[in-house]
PDB file of all heavy atoms in Angstrom:
ATOM      1  N   GLN S   5     -22.432  -0.161 -15.811  1.00 83.00           N
ATOM      2  CA  GLN S   5     -23.199   0.200 -17.017  1.00 83.00           C
ATOM      3  C   GLN S   5     -24.613  -0.196 -16.717  1.00 83.00           C
ATOM      4  O   GLN S   5     -25.579   0.544 -17.145  1.00 83.00           O
ATOM      5  CB  GLN S   5     -22.685  -0.530 -18.232  1.00 83.00           C
ATOM      6  CG  GLN S   5     -23.309  -0.110 -19.501  1.00 83.00           C
ATOM      7  CD  GLN S   5     -23.173   1.312 -19.785  1.00 83.00           C
ATOM      8  OE1 GLN S   5     -22.171   1.921 -19.656  1.00 83.00           O
ATOM      9  NE2 GLN S   5     -24.291   1.975 -20.109  1.00 83.00           N
ATOM     10  N   ALA S   6     -24.919  -1.290 -16.091  1.00 79.00           N
ATOM     11  CA  ALA S   6     -26.318  -1.778 -15.843  1.00 79.00           C
ATOM     12  C   ALA S   6     -26.961  -0.788 -14.995  1.00 79.00           C
ATOM     13  O   ALA S   6     -28.205  -0.417 -15.160  1.00 79.00           O
ATOM     14  CB  ALA S   6     -26.294  -3.124 -15.194  1.00 79.00           C
ATOM     15  N   ARG S  19     -42.986   9.720  -4.995  1.00 95.00           N
ATOM     16  CA  ARG S  19     -42.894  10.163  -3.542  1.00 95.00           C
ATOM     17  C   ARG S  19     -43.320   8.865  -2.770  1.00 95.00           C
ATOM     18  O   ARG S  19     -44.359   8.223  -2.933  1.00 95.00           O
ATOM     19  CB  ARG S  19     -43.874  11.255  -3.362  1.00 95.00           C
ATOM     20  CG  ARG S  19     -43.895  11.610  -1.781  1.00 95.00           C
ATOM     21  CD  ARG S  19     -44.747  12.833  -1.427  1.00 95.00           C
ATOM     22  NE  ARG S  19     -46.017  12.873  -2.101  1.00 95.00           N
ATOM     23  CZ  ARG S  19     -46.704  13.823  -2.577  1.00 95.00           C
ATOM     24  NH1 ARG S  19     -46.076  14.976  -2.690  1.00 95.00           N
ATOM     25  NH2 ARG S  19     -47.839  13.724  -3.189  1.00 95.00           N
ATOM     26  N   ALA S  24     -47.521   8.403   9.719  1.00 87.00           N
ATOM     27  CA  ALA S  24     -46.822   9.125  10.851  1.00 87.00           C
ATOM     28  C   ALA S  24     -47.556   9.063  12.184  1.00 87.00           C
ATOM     29  O   ALA S  24     -47.008   9.181  13.219  1.00 87.00           O
ATOM     30  CB  ALA S  24     -46.489  10.490  10.496  1.00 87.00           C
ATOM     31  N   THR S  33     -69.044  13.474  12.620  1.00 88.00           N
ATOM     32  CA  THR S  33     -69.418  12.325  11.822  1.00 88.00           C
ATOM     33  C   THR S  33     -68.866  11.009  12.510  1.00 88.00           C
ATOM     34  O   THR S  33     -69.329  10.003  12.303  1.00 88.00           O
ATOM     35  CB  THR S  33     -69.037  12.363  10.406  1.00 88.00           C
ATOM     36  OG1 THR S  33     -67.487  12.385  10.425  1.00 88.00           O
ATOM     37  CG2 THR S  33     -69.364  13.618   9.725  1.00 88.00           C
ATOM     38  N   GLY S  37     -60.300  11.070   9.793  1.00 83.00           N
ATOM     39  CA  GLY S  37     -59.821  12.112   8.838  1.00 83.00           C
ATOM     40  C   GLY S  37     -58.681  11.530   8.056  1.00 83.00           C
ATOM     41  O   GLY S  37     -58.463  10.282   7.977  1.00 83.00           O
ATOM     42  N   PRO S  40     -52.107  11.058   8.811  1.00 88.00           N
ATOM     43  CA  PRO S  40     -50.938  11.846   8.711  1.00 88.00           C
ATOM     44  C   PRO S  40     -49.715  10.910   8.148  1.00 88.00           C
ATOM     45  O   PRO S  40     -49.630   9.787   8.631  1.00 88.00           O
ATOM     46  CB  PRO S  40     -50.556  12.354  10.138  1.00 88.00           C
ATOM     47  CG  PRO S  40     -51.897  12.022  10.831  1.00 88.00           C
ATOM     48  CD  PRO S  40     -52.630  10.988  10.049  1.00 88.00           C
ATOM     49  N   PRO S  48     -36.199  10.709  -8.305  1.00 94.00           N
ATOM     50  CA  PRO S  48     -36.355   9.877  -9.491  1.00 94.00           C
ATOM     51  C   PRO S  48     -36.610   8.438  -9.172  1.00 94.00           C
ATOM     52  O   PRO S  48     -36.139   7.945  -8.228  1.00 94.00           O
ATOM     53  CB  PRO S  48     -35.010   9.997 -10.250  1.00 94.00           C
ATOM     54  CG  PRO S  48     -34.012  10.459  -9.189  1.00 94.00           C
ATOM     55  CD  PRO S  48     -34.837  11.175  -8.144  1.00 94.00           C
ATOM     56  N   GLY S  49     -37.445   7.857  -9.995  1.00 92.00           N
ATOM     57  CA  GLY S  49     -37.778   6.410  -9.901  1.00 92.00           C
ATOM     58  C   GLY S  49     -38.668   6.011 -11.098  1.00 92.00           C
ATOM     59  O   GLY S  49     -38.765   6.835 -12.013  1.00 92.00           O
ATOM     60  N   VAL S  51     -42.335   3.531 -11.807  1.00 88.00           N
ATOM     61  CA  VAL S  51     -43.271   2.519 -11.475  1.00 88.00           C
ATOM     62  C   VAL S  51     -43.569   1.672 -12.722  1.00 88.00           C
ATOM     63  O   VAL S  51     -43.992   2.248 -13.709  1.00 88.00           O
ATOM     64  CB  VAL S  51     -44.585   3.078 -10.843  1.00 88.00           C
ATOM     65  CG1 VAL S  51     -45.665   1.964 -10.775  1.00 88.00           C
ATOM     66  CG2 VAL S  51     -44.362   3.851  -9.598  1.00 88.00           C
ATOM     67  N   GLY S  56     -43.665  -3.496 -18.511  1.00 80.00           N
ATOM     68  CA  GLY S  56     -42.551  -2.593 -18.403  1.00 80.00           C
ATOM     69  C   GLY S  56     -41.341  -3.291 -17.774  1.00 80.00           C
ATOM     70  O   GLY S  56     -40.192  -3.043 -18.248  1.00 80.00           O
ATOM     71  N   GLN S  57     -41.464  -4.204 -16.929  1.00 79.00           N
ATOM     72  CA  GLN S  57     -40.482  -4.934 -16.235  1.00 79.00           C
ATOM     73  C   GLN S  57     -39.807  -5.873 -17.330  1.00 79.00           C
ATOM     74  O   GLN S  57     -38.593  -5.991 -17.375  1.00 79.00           O
ATOM     75  CB  GLN S  57     -40.932  -5.829 -15.052  1.00 79.00           C
ATOM     76  CG  GLN S  57     -41.387  -4.901 -13.909  1.00 79.00           C
ATOM     77  CD  GLN S  57     -42.234  -5.687 -12.999  1.00 79.00           C
ATOM     78  OE1 GLN S  57     -41.655  -6.719 -12.336  1.00 79.00           O
ATOM     79  NE2 GLN S  57     -43.420  -5.320 -12.664  1.00 79.00           N
ATOM     80  N   GLY S  72     -38.853 -13.077 -10.749  1.00 57.00           N
ATOM     81  CA  GLY S  72     -40.037 -12.968 -11.518  1.00 57.00           C
ATOM     82  C   GLY S  72     -40.739 -11.482 -11.348  1.00 57.00           C
ATOM     83  O   GLY S  72     -40.353 -10.809 -10.479  1.00 57.00           O
ATOM     84  N   TRP S  75     -47.138  -7.453 -10.468  1.00 81.00           N
ATOM     85  CA  TRP S  75     -47.987  -6.660 -11.315  1.00 81.00           C
ATOM     86  C   TRP S  75     -47.428  -5.272 -11.475  1.00 81.00           C
ATOM     87  O   TRP S  75     -47.422  -4.718 -12.589  1.00 81.00           O
ATOM     88  CB  TRP S  75     -49.423  -6.487 -10.698  1.00 81.00           C
ATOM     89  CG  TRP S  75     -50.253  -7.795 -10.946  1.00 81.00           C
ATOM     90  CD1 TRP S  75     -50.538  -8.711 -10.016  1.00 81.00           C
ATOM     91  CD2 TRP S  75     -50.764  -8.316 -12.224  1.00 81.00           C
ATOM     92  NE1 TRP S  75     -51.275  -9.740 -10.661  1.00 81.00           N
ATOM     93  CE2 TRP S  75     -51.465  -9.472 -11.898  1.00 81.00           C
ATOM     94  CE3 TRP S  75     -50.723  -7.749 -13.445  1.00 81.00           C
ATOM     95  CZ2 TRP S  75     -52.016 -10.192 -12.950  1.00 81.00           C
ATOM     96  CZ3 TRP S  75     -51.398  -8.444 -14.516  1.00 81.00           C
ATOM     97  CH2 TRP S  75     -52.001  -9.661 -14.203  1.00 81.00           C
ATOM     98  N   TYR S  76     -46.993  -4.683 -10.382  1.00 86.00           N
ATOM     99  CA  TYR S  76     -46.305  -3.362 -10.421  1.00 86.00           C
ATOM    100  C   TYR S  76     -45.121  -3.446  -9.598  1.00 86.00           C
ATOM    101  O   TYR S  76     -45.046  -4.155  -8.551  1.00 86.00           O
ATOM    102  CB  TYR S  76     -47.277  -2.186  -9.913  1.00 86.00           C
ATOM    103  CG  TYR S  76     -48.455  -1.941 -10.792  1.00 86.00           C
ATOM    104  CD1 TYR S  76     -49.617  -2.494 -10.428  1.00 86.00           C
ATOM    105  CD2 TYR S  76     -48.314  -1.204 -11.867  1.00 86.00           C
ATOM    106  CE1 TYR S  76     -50.805  -2.224 -11.202  1.00 86.00           C
ATOM    107  CE2 TYR S  76     -49.423  -0.879 -12.734  1.00 86.00           C
ATOM    108  CZ  TYR S  76     -50.663  -1.426 -12.387  1.00 86.00           C
ATOM    109  OH  TYR S  76     -51.751  -1.149 -13.167  1.00 86.00           O
ATOM    110  N   ARG S  77     -44.113  -2.583  -9.926  1.00 87.00           N
ATOM    111  CA  ARG S  77     -42.934  -2.607  -9.123  1.00 87.00           C
ATOM    112  C   ARG S  77     -42.209  -1.174  -9.163  1.00 87.00           C
ATOM    113  O   ARG S  77     -42.198  -0.530 -10.223  1.00 87.00           O
ATOM    114  CB  ARG S  77     -41.840  -3.531  -9.777  1.00 87.00           C
ATOM    115  CG  ARG S  77     -40.700  -3.807  -8.947  1.00 87.00           C
ATOM    116  CD  ARG S  77     -39.824  -4.928  -9.568  1.00 87.00           C
ATOM    117  NE  ARG S  77     -40.425  -6.261  -9.632  1.00 87.00           N
ATOM    118  CZ  ARG S  77     -40.439  -7.051  -8.513  1.00 87.00           C
ATOM    119  NH1 ARG S  77     -39.750  -6.743  -7.489  1.00 87.00           N
ATOM    120  NH2 ARG S  77     -40.942  -8.314  -8.578  1.00 87.00           N
ATOM    121  N   THR S  80     -36.019   2.416  -7.718  1.00 90.00           N
ATOM    122  CA  THR S  80     -35.355   3.650  -7.433  1.00 90.00           C
ATOM    123  C   THR S  80     -33.898   3.442  -7.400  1.00 90.00           C
ATOM    124  O   THR S  80     -33.415   2.331  -7.360  1.00 90.00           O
ATOM    125  CB  THR S  80     -35.858   4.195  -6.068  1.00 90.00           C
ATOM    126  OG1 THR S  80     -35.669   3.091  -5.083  1.00 90.00           O
ATOM    127  CG2 THR S  80     -37.309   4.609  -6.007  1.00 90.00           C
ATOM    128  N   GLY S  83     -29.183   4.590  -3.924  1.00 87.00           N
ATOM    129  CA  GLY S  83     -29.089   5.577  -2.759  1.00 87.00           C
ATOM    130  C   GLY S  83     -30.392   5.999  -2.167  1.00 87.00           C
ATOM    131  O   GLY S  83     -30.443   6.557  -1.094  1.00 87.00           O
ATOM    132  N   VAL S  86     -34.972   2.592   1.779  1.00 83.00           N
ATOM    133  CA  VAL S  86     -35.742   1.326   1.665  1.00 83.00           C
ATOM    134  C   VAL S  86     -37.180   1.575   1.791  1.00 83.00           C
ATOM    135  O   VAL S  86     -37.561   2.149   2.874  1.00 83.00           O
ATOM    136  CB  VAL S  86     -35.167   0.241   2.553  1.00 83.00           C
ATOM    137  CG1 VAL S  86     -36.115  -1.056   2.520  1.00 83.00           C
ATOM    138  CG2 VAL S  86     -33.782  -0.077   2.291  1.00 83.00           C
ATOM    139  N   ALA S  87     -38.046   1.240   0.904  1.00 86.00           N
ATOM    140  CA  ALA S  87     -39.535   1.244   1.052  1.00 86.00           C
ATOM    141  C   ALA S  87     -39.911   0.092   1.909  1.00 86.00           C
ATOM    142  O   ALA S  87     -39.512  -1.037   1.725  1.00 86.00           O
ATOM    143  CB  ALA S  87     -40.185   1.227  -0.320  1.00 86.00           C
ATOM    144  N   THR S 105     -49.419   9.431 -13.404  1.00 83.00           N
ATOM    145  CA  THR S 105     -49.330  10.602 -12.600  1.00 83.00           C
ATOM    146  C   THR S 105     -50.636  10.715 -11.658  1.00 83.00           C
ATOM    147  O   THR S 105     -51.738  10.556 -12.185  1.00 83.00           O
ATOM    148  CB  THR S 105     -49.287  11.915 -13.417  1.00 83.00           C
ATOM    149  OG1 THR S 105     -48.081  11.677 -14.300  1.00 83.00           O
ATOM    150  CG2 THR S 105     -49.138  13.057 -12.580  1.00 83.00           C
ATOM    151  N   TRP S 109     -49.807   3.609  -5.030  1.00 89.00           N
ATOM    152  CA  TRP S 109     -49.649   2.133  -4.710  1.00 89.00           C
ATOM    153  C   TRP S 109     -49.228   1.962  -3.265  1.00 89.00           C
ATOM    154  O   TRP S 109     -48.795   2.893  -2.686  1.00 89.00           O
ATOM    155  CB  TRP S 109     -48.600   1.553  -5.624  1.00 89.00           C
ATOM    156  CG  TRP S 109     -48.996   1.462  -7.113  1.00 89.00           C
ATOM    157  CD1 TRP S 109     -49.559   0.444  -7.769  1.00 89.00           C
ATOM    158  CD2 TRP S 109     -48.909   2.462  -8.042  1.00 89.00           C
ATOM    159  NE1 TRP S 109     -49.761   0.684  -9.055  1.00 89.00           N
ATOM    160  CE2 TRP S 109     -49.406   1.948  -9.290  1.00 89.00           C
ATOM    161  CE3 TRP S 109     -48.459   3.793  -8.004  1.00 89.00           C
ATOM    162  CZ2 TRP S 109     -49.357   2.720 -10.482  1.00 89.00           C
ATOM    163  CZ3 TRP S 109     -48.496   4.659  -9.193  1.00 89.00           C
ATOM    164  CH2 TRP S 109     -48.993   3.994 -10.444  1.00 89.00           C
ATOM    165  N   ALA S 111     -46.597  -0.333  -0.984  1.00 89.00           N
ATOM    166  CA  ALA S 111     -45.429  -1.200  -1.014  1.00 89.00           C
ATOM    167  C   ALA S 111     -45.868  -2.607  -0.318  1.00 89.00           C
ATOM    168  O   ALA S 111     -46.447  -2.492   0.768  1.00 89.00           O
ATOM    169  CB  ALA S 111     -44.240  -0.624  -0.290  1.00 89.00           C
ATOM    170  N   SER S 118     -30.004  -7.900  -3.772  1.00 53.00           N
ATOM    171  CA  SER S 118     -29.424  -9.079  -4.185  1.00 53.00           C
ATOM    172  C   SER S 118     -27.834  -8.890  -3.771  1.00 53.00           C
ATOM    173  O   SER S 118     -27.452  -7.882  -3.169  1.00 53.00           O
ATOM    174  CB  SER S 118     -29.523  -9.253  -5.661  1.00 53.00           C
ATOM    175  OG  SER S 118     -28.893  -8.137  -6.306  1.00 53.00           O
ATOM    176  N   PRO S 136     -61.438   8.715   2.458  1.00 51.00           N
ATOM    177  CA  PRO S 136     -60.224   9.518   2.431  1.00 51.00           C
ATOM    178  C   PRO S 136     -59.085   9.092   3.258  1.00 51.00           C
ATOM    179  O   PRO S 136     -57.902   9.309   3.201  1.00 51.00           O
ATOM    180  CB  PRO S 136     -60.702  10.927   2.770  1.00 51.00           C
ATOM    181  CG  PRO S 136     -61.989  10.817   3.358  1.00 51.00           C
ATOM    182  CD  PRO S 136     -62.580   9.440   2.953  1.00 51.00           C
TER     183      PRO S 136
END
Side-chain angles (χ1 to χ4, degrees):
Q5 186 60 48
R19 177 174 48 219
T33 65
V51 172
Q57 295 168 57
W75 281 107
Y76 292 99
R77 192 174 291 274
T80 53
V86 173
T105 301
W109 291 263
S118 62

